[in-house]
Amino acid sequence: MGAIRGLWHWRRNPLCRPTDLAESWVALTGLLLILFLVPLTGLLVGGAAQDAMTRSVRAQNASRYEVTATVVRELGRSPLNVDPERATATDPRSHVVARWTAPDGTGHEGPLLSTLDRPRGGDRFPIWTDAQGRTVARPMDTATATTHAVLAGIGAALGAAALVEGARRLVLWRMLRSRYARWDQEWDRVGPDWGRTGSNS
């Protein structure tokens, strides 16, 4: 808004220098870019990310299967789970040896992280596998995909705003340096004894 007021103030002012008008136009251009380009960038990037994440959710749901594993024996308490895709309200709490049947009908047995508090032989719990029975992370849900897309859009918008503001500051800095250089030239032309008593200035 300061840029708009500045342009209005300088529109017919005899004291208005070309550099003042140019700085006001640069400020107004930066403001308009931030108001229109930044939200558009966020929407485009967020929409593209949403499409990509939706395809990923579909692919994961098509290739991952929830099966039931049966505890053979407990191996001990589980270390902290560091896989963000698997972090849920029912985080694995115990390490067990279990057996399960893959979607293709083959049997498997091996160590797994279980959501059971006190697992005993014969206890059952759900796990996610691929078609061959290899354990995988649970598929991403739609809410998580949407959150990632929104964050991508916000990040892109902030990046675009920073880019526009940086460009605006760079242009103004170069204009200011050019103005100072012209002032130095004028002072050099006037001479070092300008305004001294008895000088010809």
Side-chain angles (χ1 to χ4, degrees), residues 80-101:
L80 180 64
N81 178 29
V82 294
D83 184 356
E85 276 192 72
R86 300 184 74 157
T88 65
T90 56
D91 284 336
R93 292 183 287 271
S94 57
H95 204 187
V96 300
V97 173
R99 66 172 61 96
W100 65 95
T101 302

Side-chain angles (χ1 to χ4, degrees), residues 30-200:
L31 175 66
L32 293 176
L33 286 175
I34 287 176
L35 288 178
F36 297 105
L37 180 65
V38 168
L40 180 61
T41 301
L43 287 174
L44 291 176
V45 171
Q50 179 68 42
D51 291 342
M53 298 300 289
T54 301
R55 286 194 300 272
S56 178
V57 167
R58 287 197 197 111
Q60 289 182 13
N61 282 314
S63 63
R64 300 180 186 188
Y65 305 88
E66 187 175 23
V67 300
T68 301
T70 303
V71 175
V72 175
R73 68 180 186 278
E74 183 177 10
L75 289 178
R77 305 308 289 175
S78 168
L80 180 64
N81 178 29
V82 294
D83 184 356
E85 276 192 72
R86 300 184 74 157
T88 65
T90 56
D91 284 336
R93 292 183 287 271
S94 57
H95 204 187
V96 300
V97 173
R99 66 172 61 96
W100 65 95
T101 302
D104 63 3
T106 58
H108 297 267
E109 182 174 323
L112 292 175
L113 291 175
S114 162
T115 57
L116 302 171
D117 273 328
R118 292 183 178 83
R120 294 186 298 273
D123 287 349
R124 296 159 70 85
F125 61 97
I127 62 170
W128 289 91
T129 71
D130 61 13
Q132 290 74 43
R134 293 185 294 263
T135 56
V136 294
R138 68 181 178 85
M140 184 186 303
D141 57 31
T142 305
T144 303
T146 300
T147 300
H148 286 315
V150 168
L151 290 176
I154 291 173
L158 291 176
L163 187 63
V164 169
E165 178 61 14
R168 184 190 72 82
R169 287 175 181 265
L170 179 63
V171 169
L172 290 179
W173 176 75
R174 291 181 66 87
M175 292 173 68
L176 189 62
R177 284 190 53 140
S178 176
R179 179 189 301 168
Y180 287 160
R182 285 196 302 273
W183 284 355
D184 288 340
Q185 291 171 1
E186 291 295 329
W187 278 110
D188 289 342
R189 201 165 27 245
V190 168
D193 49 16
W194 176 84
R196 289 184 182 173
T197 305
S199 65
N200 295 326

